[in-house]
C-alpha cells in the first residue's frame, strides 16, 4: 500500500534500521524492487532522479512524473508492504513542482553544490512549499564525487556537523543526506573504502532526524566479474562494504540510496542471457530472468539494511 516517506523513515529512525531507496527508470526495475520488498515483508522507497522522469516521459516532465506516480500506485495498492515514491536529487524547481503536483510523497532538493547560505535558502524555499501541501523534503550537505546526473562534483567535501545543526533548525527539512565519503557510481574508492563515522555520529546527535546515505551501492565483485566475463569493462569497480553499511545504520542512517547495484546486476545477466540464448527474441523471455536477478539483489540489500519484516 502507499505510505508517506516521512512515516516510513521516522519509524526506521526510532527503531534504528534503514529502508532502501531504490532508483528506477522503467517498469521492470520498479516491478523487481516492489516484488523484493513484498517478499521481504519490508517497507520500501522507490525513487526517480530528474533524468528518470525525463526518460519515462520522453522529455515531457509532467507526463513522466504522472506515469511514475500511476505505475507505483497501481502496483503498490496490491502489496501488503508500505511503499513511498521519492524524487531523487531534485535541482530544477519546475521538476520538483511537477513531482509534488503529480503525487510524489517526498522530494529531495539537492543544492549541496552551492555555498552553505545558498543551499540553506533554496532548501528553506522548497520546504515551505512542500510542507504547505503535506510533502516531506530531503536535502544534502557536503558534496559527493561522481556524476549526480548533471553535476560532476570534483571534490568530495564532507559534511560539517555544526553546519548540519544550523541547517536543519533553520530549514525544518525532514531528512538530511550528510556527505561522509561515498560517491555515486561503480568506482567509489581509489584505495580502501573509508567513511567518516565520527561526522555521521555528530550529525545524528545534533539533528535527531532520519539521515540518508547516498552512493551506498556495494558493487558486488562476483556480479562485476560475471559482467566482465560477458564483455563488460567494469574493472576497478568498488563499492561500500557490508560492515560499513551496518555501522552507518547503527549510527543513524535510515534511508539508503541504491542504484548502481541494480544496474550492474541488470547488465551482467542481460549480457549472459543474450550470449547464451542466441535464438531468443521475446523480450519477456530475456527481461524475465534478468529482473529475477535484480529482485534478488534488492532482497539482499533489504536484509542487510535491517528492514526485512519491518512492514
Ligand atoms: O545515491 C544514489 C545511488 O548511489 P549508487 O550509485 O551508489 O547506487 N542515488 O541518489
Ligand atoms: Ca549534491
Ligand atoms: Na534522495
Ligand atoms: Zn544520490
Amino acid at each position: 500500500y502507499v505510505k508517506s516517506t516521512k512515516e516510513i523513515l521516522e519509524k526506521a529512525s526510532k527503531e534504528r534500521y534503514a529502508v532502501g531507496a531504490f532508483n528506477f527508470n522503467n517498469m521492470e526495475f520498479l516491478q523487481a524492487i516492489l516484488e523484493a520488498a513484498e517478499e521481504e515483508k519490508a517497507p520500501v522507497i522507490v525513487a526517480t532522479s530528474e533524468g528518470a522522469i525525463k526518460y519515462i516521459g520522453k522529455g515531457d516532465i509532467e507526463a513522466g512524473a504522472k506515469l511514475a506516480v500511476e505505475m507505483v500506485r497501481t502496483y503498490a495498492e496490491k502489496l501488503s508492504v508500505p511503499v513511498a515514491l521519492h524524487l531523487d536529487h531534485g535541482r530544477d524547481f519546475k521538476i520538483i513542482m511537477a513531482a509534488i503536483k503529480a503525487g510524489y510523497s517526498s522530494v529531495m532538493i539537492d543544492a549541496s553544490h552551492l555555498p552553505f547560505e545558498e543551499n540553506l535558502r533554496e532548501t528553506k524555499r522548497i520546504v515551505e512549499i512542500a510542507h504547505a501541501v503535506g510533502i516531506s523534503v530531503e536535502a544534502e550537505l557536503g558534496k559527493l564525487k561522481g556524476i549526480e546526473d548533471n553535476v560532476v562534483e570534483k571534490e568530495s567535501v564532507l559534511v560539517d556537523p555544526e553546519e548540519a545543526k544550523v541547517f536543519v533548525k533553520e530549514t525544518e527539512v525532514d531528512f538530511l543526506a550528510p556527505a561522509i565519503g561515498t560517491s555515486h557510481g561503480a568506482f567509489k574508492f581509489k584505495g580502501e573504502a573509508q567513511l567518516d563515522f565520527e561526522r555521521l555520529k555528530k550529525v545524528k546527535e545534533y539533528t535527531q532526524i532520519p539521515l540518508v546515505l547516498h552512493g551506498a551501492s556495494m558493487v558486488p565483485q562476483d556480479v562485476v566479474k560475471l559482467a566482465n566475463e560477458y564483455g563488460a569493462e567494469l574493472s576497478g569497480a568498488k563499492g561500500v562494504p557490508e560492515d560499513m553499511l551496518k555501522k552507518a545504520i547503527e549510527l543513524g542512517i535510515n534511508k539508503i540510496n541504491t542504484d548502481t547495484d541494480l544496474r550492474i546486476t541488470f547488465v551482467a545477466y542481460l549480457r549472459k542471457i543474450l550470449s547464451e540464448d542466441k535464438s531468443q527474441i521475446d523480450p519477456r523471455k530475456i527481461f524475465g530472468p534478468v529482473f529475477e536477478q535484480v529482485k534478488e539483489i534488492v532482497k539482499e540489500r533489504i536484509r542487510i539494511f535491517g528492514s526485512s519484516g519491518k512492514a
Side-chain angles (χ1 to χ4, degrees), residues 89 91 110 112-113 140 142 144 148 153:
H89 288 292
R91 309 170 67 102
D110 181 358
S112 77
H113 54 291
E140 187 170 56
L144 286 85
E148 285 182 18
E153 299 288 1

Side-chain angles (χ1 to χ4, degrees), residues 112-307:
S112 77
H113 54 291
L114 299 175
F116 178 76
E117 284 308 325
E118 284 177 54
N119 183 357
L120 193 151
R121 195 169 52 245
E122 280 222 15
T123 300
K124 198 170 161 60
R125 179 185 182 213
I126 299 297
V127 168
E128 277 163 8
I129 296 167
H131 283 186
V133 288
I135 304 301
S136 55
V137 181
E138 172 189 334
E140 187 170 56
L141 271 180
K143 295 187 178 106
L144 286 85
K145 296 190 294 292
I147 317 264
E148 285 182 18
D149 253 6
N150 51 5
V151 177
V152 180
E153 299 288 1
K154 306 257 175 324
E155 262 315 295
S156 92
V157 176
L158 303 183
V159 65
D160 171 347
E162 295 295 335
E163 280 190 354
K165 180 161 42 175
V166 172
F167 187 88
V168 167
K169 190 164 169 297
E170 293 288 310
T171 61
E172 296 184 4
V173 73
D174 302 283
F175 327 119
L176 182 70
I180 57 171
T182 58
S183 59
H184 290 127
F187 305 90
K188 297 182 191 299
F189 303 98
K190 286 193 183 46
E192 275 312 296
Q194 206 178 6
L195 299 185
D196 194 321
F197 294 114
E198 276 316 302
R199 284 173 200 263
L200 173 56
K201 192 161 181 277
K202 287 202 184 90
V203 169
K204 191 69 172 186
E205 198 183 306
Y206 294 170
T207 64
Q208 292 297 313
I209 63 169
L211 299 181
V212 185
L213 188 64
H214 281 252
S217 277
M218 299 173 69
V219 188
Q221 291 307 303
D222 55 333
V223 181
V224 171
K225 184 164 167 290
L226 183 74
N228 290 338
E229 272 163 18
Y230 286 93
E233 291 173 358
L234 294 170
S235 47
K238 191 172 177 61
V240 182
E242 179 171 341
D243 62 310
M244 291 194 176
L245 279 184
K246 293 207 160 158
K247 184 159 183 194
I249 295 163
E250 277 165 31
L251 293 174
I253 290 288
N254 307 110
K255 171 174 177 278
I256 300 185
N257 286 21
T258 306
D259 191 2
T260 295
D261 282 347
L262 282 63
R263 294 180 172 197
I264 291 178
T265 303
F266 164 75
V267 163
Y269 286 92
L270 181 62
R271 285 177 173 277
K272 181 172 189 292
I273 285 172
L274 286 179
S275 80
E276 284 171 357
D277 191 352
K278 293 192 184 313
S279 60
Q280 187 54 257
I281 59 168
D282 180 340
R284 295 165 300 178
K285 298 264 187 348
I286 295 167
F287 277 177
V290 167
F291 284 94
E292 269 303 303
Q293 296 296 335
V294 173
K295 180 185 82 173
E296 287 308 316
I297 198 102
V298 174
K299 288 171 72 174
E300 278 175 39
R301 292 294 170 277
I302 287 174
R303 287 196 286 273
I304 291 172
F305 298 165
S307 42

Side-chain angles (χ1 to χ4, degrees), residues 35-145:
E35 284 162 14
E38 183 73 3
E39 290 178 20
E40 286 300 317
K41 300 199 177 347
V44 71
I45 296 165
V46 286
T48 58
S49 64
E50 293 190 340
I53 287 181
K54 289 175 189 162
Y55 176 82
I56 293 172
K58 300 301 282 178
D60 177 335
I61 290 167
E62 263 72 22
K66 183 169 179 286
L67 188 47
V69 167
E70 291 179 354
M71 268 200 289
V72 171
R73 282 187 183 151
T74 304
Y75 289 124
E77 64 195 14
K78 291 186 299 191
L79 302 181
S80 70
V81 298
V83 179
L85 174 58
H86 174 75
L87 172 68
D88 192 23
H89 288 292
R91 309 170 67 102
D92 178 328
F93 185 75
K94 284 192 315 304
I95 299 180
I96 297 174
M97 292 305 120
I100 290 177
K101 258 172 61 184
Y104 278 60
S105 172
S106 54
V107 295
M108 177 182 189
I109 163 66
D110 181 358
S112 77
H113 54 291
L114 299 175
F116 178 76
E117 284 308 325
E118 284 177 54
N119 183 357
L120 193 151
R121 195 169 52 245
E122 280 222 15
T123 300
K124 198 170 161 60
R125 179 185 182 213
I126 299 297
V127 168
E128 277 163 8
I129 296 167
H131 283 186
V133 288
I135 304 301
S136 55
V137 181
E138 172 189 334
E140 187 170 56
L141 271 180
K143 295 187 178 106
L144 286 85
K145 296 190 294 292

